[in-house]
Amino acid sequence: MTNRIRTLSPSTNKVIFEHPGTSLDQVRGIVQASQDAFRTFKELCLEERKLIVVKALDIIDANKETLAQELSLQMGRPISYTAGEITTMRKRADYLLGIADDSLKTIPGQPEGGFKRFVKKEPVGPVLLATAWNYPYLITINALVPALLAGNSVILRPSPQTPLFGERLVSYFNQAGLPTNVLQLIHTGSLDVLDEIAKLPQIKLVSFVGSTAGGIRLRQATASRIVPLNLELGGKDPAYVRADADLAYVAAQVVDGAVFNSGQSCCSIERVYVHADVHDAFVAEVQKELQTYKLGNPMDRTTTTGPVISQQAVKNIQAQIADALAKGAVDATPHNATFDAPPPDGNYLAPKVLTNVSHEMLVMREETFGPVLPIMMVSGDDEAVARMNSSDYGLTASVWTKDIQAGEALIERIEAGTVFINRCDYPSPDLAWIGWKNSGMGCSLGPQGFDAFYKLKSFHIREKQG
């Protein structure tokens, strides 16, 4: 049960960070310190907490370019895009700051002479926040801001692939005046150790973003005690292109939704259903769009697509492609010189277009988490909806059509936490981000973004005896 972290840059496969890992004995001390810090931090008023968070965000903004470079180094997203994650993070944080007062205010009971009744929202206590590597700033801010504003202490476990992000975040919040031990960092490269941490009785909430398998493990690890879990898990997100769609526009959007970040997003488009009347024309537009992409070194500002996260990821993605081809899929990837000659040392995998696919293929059923675009012909709306719902996942889904009324009727029938028309791959800060089926439990963002981070306490007071 080794805890050791050895982070390889996906663009070079060279070691960029090593850490022995936080031992369980060290974790027990950290958790106890978190509980002690919570007792005083919860007494700090909301306005003071908000000022600390804003100051920390300002420090992050001031270091945006350095953080963007580090992020590209750690997880391989092209440098042209990584600063955008931090910009978007600030927008999300500002939204959460803006709704904090309403989200955390006391709820009055019905008026009655001689009585006071109300419901207070109390912080839950020390929170274990385990984040993922693919969008570490965005993912973490969704939980960290409401957790701190509600008055909780936080133990952050960054992904072993983006450990520098965790180091920076804790440092900046401490610089901003966050009281000692309110935000602490642990490093672990072991899911077994993470399970043991979640079992500690001082941990009062586990907020996890990662694979569905990881979420199930945490549910099993905490099954012997009553502790809430907030889980954002995997996806197999579908898109449906209707016959009336503007094919050139939709192809550009769908390719971006499938290939951005090398397809490494829980809400990436991973399967596309296209009306038979426009199937061939749509595939041609997709091919045309992909000819404008550039696979290469993420530190090159002309690169649009960098490496995937690891050699194991390459093998997993290639296995799905091989399974599909063996079962009759057609490789419809267009010629692109950069796809044929990637840099030699990293985990480079060219975007892949597959047609003649079916649900017997792994690429249409299992999460791919890579730049693969399988396209399946359907006869019409009813078949499309049935195919879209034929999945164990339910994070997002999109319908592409000029007929908005017809599109709205379709998305009412789709089993997913977020449904789009003529858009995809966009968690809006003012809407709940929530997974159906095996894609999650609980939610972040939106008006409910604080709900996981407080517990309710009802006060029922008779003002006089007798």
Side-chain angles (χ1 to χ4, degrees), residues 28-232:
R28 290 186 184 98
I30 288 169
V31 170
Q32 184 58 52
S34 183
Q35 187 175 56
D36 294 341
F38 165 68
R39 292 191 181 101
T40 54
F41 183 62
K42 69 178 181 178
E43 302 301 330
L44 207 64
C45 74
L46 178 55
E47 285 306 311
E48 290 180 90
R49 294 181 205 142
K50 288 166 71 174
L51 288 172
I52 293 169
V53 170
V54 169
K55 188 173 180 180
L57 294 169
D58 289 342
I59 297 171
I60 293 170
D61 278 342
N63 290 277
K64 183 186 300 184
E65 292 306 318
T66 298
L67 300 179
Q69 293 275 347
E70 289 182 350
L71 193 52
S72 290
L73 180 68
Q74 291 172 91
M75 54 77 60
R77 188 185 314 133
I79 190 65
S80 297
Y81 306 124
T82 44
E85 177 177 344
I86 298 167
T87 299
T88 304
M89 178 211 71
R90 182 61 189 262
K91 292 178 180 177
R92 288 192 186 180
D94 286 345
Y95 168 79
L96 291 165
L97 283 158
I99 67 169
D101 289 273
D102 279 345
S103 297
L104 297 171
K105 68 183 179 182
T106 296
I107 304 168
Q110 290 187 340
E112 182 181 354
F115 289 89
K116 287 196 298 185
R117 285 193 293 265
F118 53 92
V119 180
K120 287 186 69 176
K121 298 173 180 177
E122 301 275 358
V124 296
V127 172
L128 174 62
L129 177 53
T131 66
W133 52 263
N134 54 330
Y135 288 95
Y137 287 95
L138 287 178
I139 287 167
T140 303
I141 214 68
N142 292 354
L144 181 60
V145 167
L148 292 176
L149 292 182
N152 302 287
S153 55
V154 176
I155 298 153
L156 173 63
R157 191 238 55 175
S159 164
Q161 189 61 47
T162 50
L164 297 175
F165 140 79
E167 299 277 347
R168 293 286 192 182
L169 203 64
V170 171
S171 172
Y172 292 156
F173 271 85
N174 287 337
Q175 287 179 44
L178 196 66
T180 303
N181 294 331
V182 170
L183 176 59
Q184 297 180 86
L185 186 69
I186 58 173
H187 287 298
T188 176
S190 167
L191 289 177
D192 291 334
V193 172
L194 187 62
D195 289 347
E196 292 302 313
I197 297 169
K199 292 177 183 178
L200 295 174
Q202 296 96 331
I203 298 293
K204 302 304 182 186
L205 167 69
V206 178
S207 179
F208 172 78
V209 180
S211 69
T212 296
I216 290 171
R217 283 187 62 135
L218 284 168
R219 291 196 76 187
Q220 292 169 339
T222 58
S224 63
R225 69 188 188 98
I226 308 302
V227 58
L229 298 176
N230 211 50
L231 305 176
E232 182 184 328

Side-chain angles (χ1 to χ4, degrees), residues 327 329 356-365 376 387:
K327 292 174 180 174
N356 197 42
V357 293
S358 70
H359 277 228
E360 284 67 49
M361 301 171 185
L362 297 176
V363 77
M364 295 297 282
R365 300 197 317 271
M376 182 176 182
R387 296 286 189 186

Side-chain angles (χ1 to χ4, degrees), residues 390-411:
S390 179
S391 174
D392 292 333
Y393 297 99
L395 188 58
T396 79
S398 57
V399 170
W400 303 82
T401 179
K402 294 176 183 176
D403 187 339
I404 301 303
Q405 185 175 0
E408 289 181 342
L410 286 175
I411 62 175

Side-chain angles (χ1 to χ4, degrees), residues 124-431:
V124 296
V127 172
L128 174 62
L129 177 53
T131 66
W133 52 263
N134 54 330
Y135 288 95
Y137 287 95
L138 287 178
I139 287 167
T140 303
I141 214 68
N142 292 354
L144 181 60
V145 167
L148 292 176
L149 292 182
N152 302 287
S153 55
V154 176
I155 298 153
L156 173 63
R157 191 238 55 175
S159 164
Q161 189 61 47
T162 50
L164 297 175
F165 140 79
E167 299 277 347
R168 293 286 192 182
L169 203 64
V170 171
S171 172
Y172 292 156
F173 271 85
N174 287 337
Q175 287 179 44
L178 196 66
T180 303
N181 294 331
V182 170
L183 176 59
Q184 297 180 86
L185 186 69
I186 58 173
H187 287 298
T188 176
S190 167
L191 289 177
D192 291 334
V193 172
L194 187 62
D195 289 347
E196 292 302 313
I197 297 169
K199 292 177 183 178
L200 295 174
Q202 296 96 331
I203 298 293
K204 302 304 182 186
L205 167 69
V206 178
S207 179
F208 172 78
V209 180
S211 69
T212 296
I216 290 171
R217 283 187 62 135
L218 284 168
R219 291 196 76 187
Q220 292 169 339
T222 58
S224 63
R225 69 188 188 98
I226 308 302
V227 58
L229 298 176
N230 211 50
L231 305 176
E232 182 184 328
L233 307 176
K236 190 68 184 174
D237 296 13
Y240 170 42
V241 182
R242 297 185 80 233
D244 68 339
D246 180 335
L247 298 184
Y249 169 79
V250 174
Q253 297 297 311
V254 167
V255 168
D256 180 68
V259 175
F260 186 80
N261 207 39
S262 297
Q264 298 171 127
S265 171
C266 54
C267 55
S268 291
I269 290 179
E270 291 210 357
R271 49 197 173 111
V272 183
Y273 304 97
V274 183
H275 194 285
D277 291 351
V278 295
H279 174 273
D280 292 353
F282 177 75
V283 171
E285 292 292 345
V286 165
Q287 293 169 328
K288 189 186 303 182
E289 179 66 21
L290 274 172
Q291 288 169 342
T292 69
Y293 277 61
K294 180 181 177 181
L295 176 69
N297 185 340
M299 295 303 178
D300 180 345
R301 290 194 172 272
T302 65
T303 293
T304 61
T305 308
V308 296
I309 199 63
S310 66
Q311 282 292 304
Q312 186 59 52
V314 172
K315 292 176 184 177
N316 293 344
I317 297 163
Q318 287 177 333
Q320 286 196 11
I321 294 169
D323 172 78
L325 294 174
K327 292 174 180 174
V330 174
D331 185 345
T333 310
H335 173 71
N336 181 313
T338 70
F339 293 0
D340 298 330
D345 298 324
N347 310 318
Y348 292 93
L349 189 68
K352 184 73 67 175
V353 180
L354 299 173
T355 58
N356 197 42
V357 293
S358 70
H359 277 228
E360 284 67 49
M361 301 171 185
L362 297 176
V363 77
M364 295 297 282
R365 300 197 317 271
E366 297 184 1
E367 188 172 31
T368 304
F369 228 63
V372 181
L373 191 59
I375 302 173
M376 182 176 182
M377 185 186 301
V378 293
S379 59
D381 292 353
D382 289 341
E383 183 184 357
V385 170
R387 296 286 189 186
M388 295 170 89
N389 288 341
S390 179
S391 174
D392 292 333
Y393 297 99
L395 188 58
T396 79
S398 57
V399 170
W400 303 82
T401 179
K402 294 176 183 176
D403 187 339
I404 301 303
Q405 185 175 0
E408 289 181 342
L410 286 175
I411 62 175
E412 288 282 357
R413 298 164 57 191
I414 293 172
E415 298 165 356
T418 298
V419 287
F420 300 96
I421 294 176
N422 298 331
R423 195 174 197 179
C424 63
D425 191 19
Y426 184 80
S428 185
D430 58 328
L431 299 178

